[in-house]
Amino acid sequence: MFFDPNEEYLMPVFFGPIPRKVIGRKYNDVTSIIVSYLTDREQLAKYIPAPFEVGELPIITVSYACNKGVEWLAGRSYNLIGVNASVKFKGKEDQLEGALTLAMWENLTDPILTGREIKGIPKIYADIPDHQISNGQWRANASHFGNQILKISADNLTPLSEKDIAEAKKSMQGKDNWMGYKYIPNPNGVGPAVSYPTLFPSENIATEVWLGQGEVHWEHLSWEQNPTQFHIINALADLPNLGVIYTAVTKGTTELEPAGKLIRELK
């Protein structure tokens, strides 16, 4: 058999499986800006496919991450901004609470391809420079084709103690499931060749946390400004911000698929 059914492949497949499988999946230096806000339940529900449901509270969380020391990239770095919705998954076998990624922008092709085609996380490209800190305010942004998509900021930050960090992590156990939706169209682009929800286990270990006040500002763009993404950006921009409920800046590490907890299809 030309292709080993027990290996991971990406296009072009002719040169063998992807070699990073034997290398760690740890991100050794991750700095994040996180802002969560309430939105309208009915409007959010339009973008949540069954058997997902909007969570107990209709929350959108926008997270910027500066990922450095990425083991599977031989220590290189990349940045991302993800948009997650609080959800419940009510399948025939799986019953979970967590976050469904609606869109994730990244500034490097390699994690986009692996995360989207293999893992089912809806990733797309954007220019995302490293965050900036000025007068105590942390800021990050994303743009594409020279037009800004969104910006996120946090200020008036107060550090958490180690005890508070540990208690916050404990309170999230069982509710921190990261979920996506794997969709690959047929060769003619019409209809799915693959279509199912996924669970992507990961472990975020924060060593430093600051809480404060945050903002997320979305742009509305035209087809001419961003022909491949304007409909995504405008849909997210039109979800009303009914009040920021959580803002944090964190530093720590991230490990994908920790302790052999592999990504899987949700059922």
Side-chain angles (χ1 to χ4, degrees):
M1 181 179 292
F2 190 83
F3 303 116
D4 185 338
N6 297 311
E7 293 284 0
E8 289 185 53
Y9 292 85
L10 276 177
M11 296 287 280
V13 299
F14 316 111
F15 308 101
I18 46 183
R20 73 168 189 281
K21 191 169 185 179
V22 298
I23 300 176
R25 297 174 184 262
K26 190 173 182 180
Y27 291 44
N28 288 289
D29 182 0
V30 180
T31 301
S32 298
I33 305 171
I34 304 162
V35 177
S36 299
Y37 55 89
L38 290 170
T39 191
D40 180 84
R41 177 177 295 274
E42 291 185 3
Q43 286 187 247
L44 178 58
K46 296 176 183 178
Y47 305 109
I48 307 297
F52 291 102
E53 296 179 359
V54 176
E56 183 177 348
L57 293 174
I59 298 172
I60 292 292
T61 297
V62 179
S63 300
Y64 157 87
C66 176
N67 302 303
K68 296 184 177 181
V70 180
E71 290 183 344
W72 68 269
L73 291 175
R76 292 175 174 82
S77 62
Y78 70 94
N79 299 334
L80 65 83
I81 295 181
V83 183
N84 298 317
S86 60
V87 295
K88 295 180 180 180
F89 182 84
K90 295 186 175 182
K92 295 180 180 178
E93 300 179 15
D94 295 300
Q95 308 287 319
L96 300 172
E97 290 184 67
L100 174 65
T101 300
L102 300 179
M104 180 176 287
W105 284 272
E106 294 181 333
N107 65 349
L108 187 65
T109 301
D110 305 79
I112 292 174
L113 293 179
T114 56
R116 184 171 66 184
E117 276 27 301
I118 297 178
K119 314 301 183 184
I121 303 301
K123 297 184 175 186
I124 45 183
Y125 179 82
D127 295 308
I128 307 172
D130 287 357
H131 56 281
Q132 296 180 333
I133 307 170
S134 178
N135 296 321
Q137 184 184 60
W138 293 59
R139 302 187 304 274
N141 68 87
S143 62
H144 192 33
F145 296 118
N147 294 291
Q148 185 167 273
I149 296 169
L150 78 159
K151 56 184 178 181
I152 180 173
S153 64
D155 57 13
N156 296 324
L157 296 166
T158 302
L160 282 187
S161 67
E162 291 184 10
K163 180 181 178 181
D164 289 337
I165 294 173
E167 289 179 353
K169 181 176 177 59
K170 185 177 179 180
S171 70
M172 285 301 297
Q173 289 181 352
K175 299 181 180 180
D176 57 352
N177 298 296
W178 180 21
M179 292 172 275
Y181 199 99
K182 185 169 182 174
Y183 185 96
I184 298 176
N186 286 313
N188 66 356
V190 179
V194 174
S195 179
Y196 57 79
T198 62
L199 176 66
F200 194 163
S202 64
E203 184 176 26
N204 300 300
I205 299 177
T207 54
E208 297 178 84
V209 177
W210 297 264
L211 300 182
Q213 297 175 316
E215 293 184 2
V216 176
H217 174 76
W218 289 94
E219 298 292 341
H220 281 83
L221 299 179
S222 65
W223 177 81
E224 291 81 5
Q225 291 173 310
N226 193 333
T228 58
Q229 301 177 5
F230 79 101
H231 62 299
I232 302 166
I233 298 161
N234 292 348
L236 293 170
D238 286 339
L239 288 173
N241 183 338
L242 302 180
V244 173
I245 60 171
Y246 178 81
T247 299
V249 170
T250 69
K251 291 187 176 184
T253 63
T254 296
E255 186 170 3
L256 307 181
E257 300 177 287
K261 297 179 181 178
L262 301 179
I263 189 169
R264 65 178 177 87
E265 177 183 356
L266 287 170
K267 298 180 180 180

